[in-house]
Amino acid sequence: MQPILLTPRDLAVSSSLLMLDGVLSLALGLALHRQLLVAAFRMVVQLLIVGFVLRAAFALASPALTLALVLAMVAIAAREVAVRPEQRLVRMGNYRIAGIAVAFATGLTAILALTTAVRPHPWYDPRYAIPLAGIITGNVLNAASLALDSLLGGVVRERAAIEAQLALGATIRQALARLVRQSIRRALLPMINTMSAAGIVTLPGIMTGQILAGLDPVEAVKYQILLMFLLAGGSGIGAAAAAFLAARRLTDSRQRLRLDRLARR
């Protein structure tokens, strides 16, 4: 089965649905038509740029360029993780935690997939390494940001309860254990919901794209299952890393809660 190549005319026709959203915004007074236009324009420009960059990366097949692109994605994702929480650690603490969590989770998950399941030759082939790292990074971003926001906010909200446990003889690890568990659980729930609905409620976008591109549906399902496992694993690693690193940052060797390490609002 040959893939069906889209023409600019095909994309223009599909954009009529976006125009329908704009008409609805004007008719109902939603004031979203300009935001829709700007978002659509940015999306098209960004995706076209990514497409040409990936085409060049695939053609060059340079390990250095592949690593540079992956590191750029990790850096951008880490920045998003750092700025999303309401609470901020001093001395760029959010950025440090986010960088370690995203880099570790993405690197470990992507390398495991490339060297065991996908097995391209060479294993760092950009045609496989960049897309895999990209999709893993996106899910790690969501999980790590939820975990970091939940942990930092929970510590501020439950400061009295934590200090009361410390006064009664609990270690700082015991006092923060419930918050750490809650943070990781909150971060993993979206991924669990996605896996639970895949195939019955929704057809995942990646699988749908592969089928439209001509891949056998059963083979597309195999890739989707692999990706779901990778995304769930990466999300768990990223969430756990963010939560444990944040908890460690807010404590010290004297078993004290160090809220002075949070930036004043």
Side-chain angles (χ1 to χ4, degrees):
M1 181 178 177
Q2 295 296 323
I4 300 174
L5 300 180
L6 299 178
T7 66
R9 178 179 177 276
D10 297 327
L11 299 178
V13 171
S14 65
S15 69
S16 61
L17 294 174
L18 184 66
M19 295 174 62
L20 176 61
D21 290 341
V23 171
L24 287 174
S25 176
L26 289 170
L28 299 177
L30 303 178
L32 292 175
H33 49 284
R34 291 186 179 179
Q35 294 181 41
L36 282 169
L37 180 61
V38 172
F41 178 78
R42 288 184 57 182
M43 179 267 296
V44 171
V45 172
Q46 289 170 177
L47 287 178
L48 285 174
I49 293 173
V50 168
F52 285 113
V53 170
L54 290 180
R55 175 185 285 179
F58 295 166
L60 292 173
S62 167
L65 180 58
T66 300
L67 178 61
L69 290 175
V70 171
L71 289 178
M73 290 189 291
V74 168
I76 294 171
R79 188 256 177 198
E80 291 299 316
V81 171
V83 301
R84 289 187 182 185
E86 183 179 359
Q87 302 292 335
R88 305 288 177 84
L89 290 162
V90 297
R91 297 180 181 177
M92 306 291 285
N94 281 33
Y95 289 91
R96 295 178 184 178
I97 292 172
I100 294 172
V102 174
F104 179 66
T106 300
L108 180 62
T109 309
I111 291 174
L112 176 66
L114 291 168
T115 56
T116 60
V118 183
R119 298 190 302 277
H121 183 74
W123 68 268
Y124 52 82
D125 186 336
R127 187 172 295 275
Y128 298 90
I130 295 175
L132 267 177
I135 192 170
I136 293 170
T137 301
N139 281 265
V140 170
L141 184 162
N142 291 327
S145 63
L146 286 172
L148 185 59
D149 179 59
S150 180
L151 193 286
L152 295 179
V155 168
V156 173
R157 185 175 60 254
E158 300 187 23
R159 174 181 182 175
I162 295 170
E163 291 182 337
Q165 292 181 63
L166 294 175
L168 291 172
T171 65
I172 191 66
R173 178 177 296 181
Q174 292 171 331
L176 292 179
R178 185 175 62 84
L179 279 179
V180 171
R181 289 196 301 269
Q182 287 180 347
S183 300
I184 299 174
R185 183 178 185 277
R186 179 190 174 195
L188 288 180
L189 281 177
M191 191 66 228
I192 293 173
N193 292 336
T194 299
M195 288 193 295
S196 299
I200 298 178
V201 179
T202 62
L203 286 179
I206 296 172
M207 189 179 84
T208 303
Q210 289 178 314
I211 293 173
L212 291 175
L215 190 65
D216 178 75
V218 175
E219 294 302 319
V221 166
K222 291 179 183 178
Y223 274 100
Q224 187 63 51
I225 292 172
L226 170 64
L227 284 173
M228 284 294 187
F229 288 158
L230 294 176
L231 299 183
S235 296
I237 295 170
F244 282 113
L245 288 172
R248 181 177 179 180
R249 179 63 179 163
L250 289 173
T251 61
D252 62 19
S253 59
R254 297 175 62 185
Q255 302 291 304
R256 295 181 300 177
L257 184 63
R258 298 294 303 273
L259 290 189
D260 58 300
R261 293 177 178 174
L262 287 174
R264 296 182 178 180
R265 301 185 62 80

mmCIF file of all heavy atoms in Angstrom, residues 2 11 50 64 69 75 136 144 148 163 185 215-216 226 264:
data_model
loop_
_atom_site.group_PDB
_atom_site.id
_atom_site.type_symbol
_atom_site.label_atom_id
_atom_site.label_comp_id
_atom_site.label_asym_id
_atom_site.label_seq_id
_atom_site.Cartn_x
_atom_site.Cartn_y
_atom_site.Cartn_z
ATOM 1 N N GLN A 2 0.661 2.113 -0.962
ATOM 2 C CA GLN A 2 1.445 3.330 -1.070
ATOM 3 C C GLN A 2 0.841 4.437 -0.212
ATOM 4 O O GLN A 2 -0.389 4.583 -0.145
ATOM 5 C CB GLN A 2 1.495 3.798 -2.536
ATOM 6 C CG GLN A 2 2.229 2.834 -3.453
ATOM 7 C CD GLN A 2 3.695 2.724 -3.086
ATOM 8 O OE1 GLN A 2 4.318 3.707 -2.703
ATOM 9 N NE2 GLN A 2 4.240 1.518 -3.186
ATOM 10 N N LEU A 11 -4.448 20.547 2.388
ATOM 11 C CA LEU A 11 -4.338 21.222 3.688
ATOM 12 C C LEU A 11 -5.217 22.461 3.728
ATOM 13 O O LEU A 11 -5.811 22.782 4.770
ATOM 14 C CB LEU A 11 -2.883 21.597 3.950
ATOM 15 C CG LEU A 11 -1.894 20.417 4.022
ATOM 16 C CD1 LEU A 11 -0.483 20.934 4.249
ATOM 17 C CD2 LEU A 11 -2.292 19.454 5.131
ATOM 18 N N VAL A 50 10.198 22.347 11.726
ATOM 19 C CA VAL A 50 10.617 21.044 12.256
ATOM 20 C C VAL A 50 10.771 20.027 11.132
ATOM 21 O O VAL A 50 11.726 19.237 11.104
ATOM 22 C CB VAL A 50 9.597 20.544 13.298
ATOM 23 C CG1 VAL A 50 9.853 19.078 13.644
ATOM 24 C CG2 VAL A 50 9.662 21.390 14.551
ATOM 25 N N ALA A 64 26.425 13.916 16.123
ATOM 26 C CA ALA A 64 26.518 15.190 16.836
ATOM 27 C C ALA A 64 25.251 16.018 16.656
ATOM 28 O O ALA A 64 24.728 16.606 17.607
ATOM 29 C CB ALA A 64 27.736 15.974 16.354
ATOM 30 N N LEU A 69 20.002 18.077 18.662
ATOM 31 C CA LEU A 69 18.550 18.244 18.559
ATOM 32 C C LEU A 69 17.842 17.656 19.770
ATOM 33 O O LEU A 69 16.900 18.255 20.306
ATOM 34 C CB LEU A 69 18.045 17.598 17.272
ATOM 35 C CG LEU A 69 18.445 18.300 15.970
ATOM 36 C CD1 LEU A 69 17.994 17.485 14.764
ATOM 37 C CD2 LEU A 69 17.830 19.696 15.914
ATOM 38 N N ALA A 75 16.086 20.562 26.795
ATOM 39 C CA ALA A 75 16.226 21.874 27.438
ATOM 40 C C ALA A 75 14.923 22.657 27.408
ATOM 41 O O ALA A 75 14.527 23.280 28.402
ATOM 42 C CB ALA A 75 17.334 22.670 26.741
ATOM 43 N N ILE A 136 8.748 11.008 23.862
ATOM 44 C CA ILE A 136 8.986 10.686 25.272
ATOM 45 C C ILE A 136 9.141 11.963 26.086
ATOM 46 O O ILE A 136 8.579 12.096 27.183
ATOM 47 C CB ILE A 136 10.229 9.786 25.414
ATOM 48 C CG1 ILE A 136 9.959 8.414 24.800
ATOM 49 C CG2 ILE A 136 10.628 9.637 26.885
ATOM 50 C CD1 ILE A 136 11.198 7.547 24.669
ATOM 51 N N ALA A 144 6.405 15.346 34.927
ATOM 52 C CA ALA A 144 7.329 16.010 35.844
ATOM 53 C C ALA A 144 6.775 17.338 36.341
ATOM 54 O O ALA A 144 6.940 17.685 37.515
ATOM 55 C CB ALA A 144 8.676 16.227 35.156
ATOM 56 N N LEU A 148 6.122 18.110 40.256
ATOM 57 C CA LEU A 148 6.834 19.217 40.897
ATOM 58 C C LEU A 148 5.860 20.235 41.472
ATOM 59 O O LEU A 148 6.031 20.705 42.601
ATOM 60 C CB LEU A 148 7.761 19.882 39.878
ATOM 61 C CG LEU A 148 8.680 20.987 40.404
ATOM 62 C CD1 LEU A 148 9.593 20.466 41.500
ATOM 63 C CD2 LEU A 148 9.504 21.583 39.265
ATOM 64 N N GLU A 163 5.562 19.879 60.147
ATOM 65 C CA GLU A 163 6.384 20.264 61.297
ATOM 66 C C GLU A 163 5.883 19.613 62.582
ATOM 67 O O GLU A 163 6.681 19.318 63.485
ATOM 68 C CB GLU A 163 6.402 21.785 61.421
ATOM 69 C CG GLU A 163 7.166 22.449 60.274
ATOM 70 C CD GLU A 163 7.243 23.958 60.413
ATOM 71 O OE1 GLU A 163 6.378 24.525 61.110
ATOM 72 O OE2 GLU A 163 8.159 24.563 59.816
ATOM 73 N N ARG A 185 1.496 10.069 42.129
ATOM 74 C CA ARG A 185 0.203 9.518 41.712
ATOM 75 C C ARG A 185 -0.541 10.502 40.809
ATOM 76 O O ARG A 185 -1.096 10.120 39.771
ATOM 77 C CB ARG A 185 -0.643 9.205 42.943
ATOM 78 C CG ARG A 185 -1.987 8.556 42.619
ATOM 79 C CD ARG A 185 -2.758 8.224 43.895
ATOM 80 N NE ARG A 185 -3.971 7.494 43.575
ATOM 81 C CZ ARG A 185 -5.112 8.063 43.199
ATOM 82 N NH1 ARG A 185 -5.186 9.381 43.093
ATOM 83 N NH2 ARG A 185 -6.178 7.332 42.924
ATOM 84 N N LEU A 215 0.782 1.737 6.734
ATOM 85 C CA LEU A 215 1.272 0.611 7.518
ATOM 86 C C LEU A 215 0.118 -0.322 7.873
ATOM 87 O O LEU A 215 -1.013 0.117 8.114
ATOM 88 C CB LEU A 215 1.943 1.101 8.802
ATOM 89 C CG LEU A 215 2.716 0.066 9.626
ATOM 90 C CD1 LEU A 215 3.919 -0.433 8.845
ATOM 91 C CD2 LEU A 215 3.163 0.675 10.957
ATOM 92 N N ASP A 216 0.398 -1.623 7.899
ATOM 93 C CA ASP A 216 -0.606 -2.603 8.278
ATOM 94 C C ASP A 216 -1.143 -2.284 9.676
ATOM 95 O O ASP A 216 -0.361 -1.987 10.594
ATOM 96 C CB ASP A 216 0.011 -4.000 8.271
ATOM 97 C CG ASP A 216 -0.982 -5.063 8.713
ATOM 98 O OD1 ASP A 216 -1.866 -5.408 7.922
ATOM 99 O OD2 ASP A 216 -0.872 -5.519 9.871
ATOM 100 N N LEU A 226 4.100 -0.463 22.074
ATOM 101 C CA LEU A 226 5.472 -0.177 22.484
ATOM 102 C C LEU A 226 5.594 1.252 22.996
ATOM 103 O O LEU A 226 6.174 1.500 24.064
ATOM 104 C CB LEU A 226 6.425 -0.406 21.312
ATOM 105 C CG LEU A 226 7.877 0.072 21.506
ATOM 106 C CD1 LEU A 226 8.548 -0.716 22.618
ATOM 107 C CD2 LEU A 226 8.658 -0.033 20.205
ATOM 108 N N ARG A 264 10.094 34.001 47.712
ATOM 109 C CA ARG A 264 8.976 34.750 48.278
ATOM 110 C C ARG A 264 8.105 35.308 47.169
ATOM 111 O O ARG A 264 8.591 35.812 46.178
ATOM 112 C CB ARG A 264 9.488 35.892 49.163
ATOM 113 C CG ARG A 264 10.252 35.392 50.393
ATOM 114 C CD ARG A 264 10.679 36.564 51.258
ATOM 115 N NE ARG A 264 11.378 36.126 52.454
ATOM 116 C CZ ARG A 264 11.878 36.923 53.396
ATOM 117 N NH1 ARG A 264 11.700 38.249 53.269
ATOM 118 N NH2 ARG A 264 12.496 36.443 54.449
#
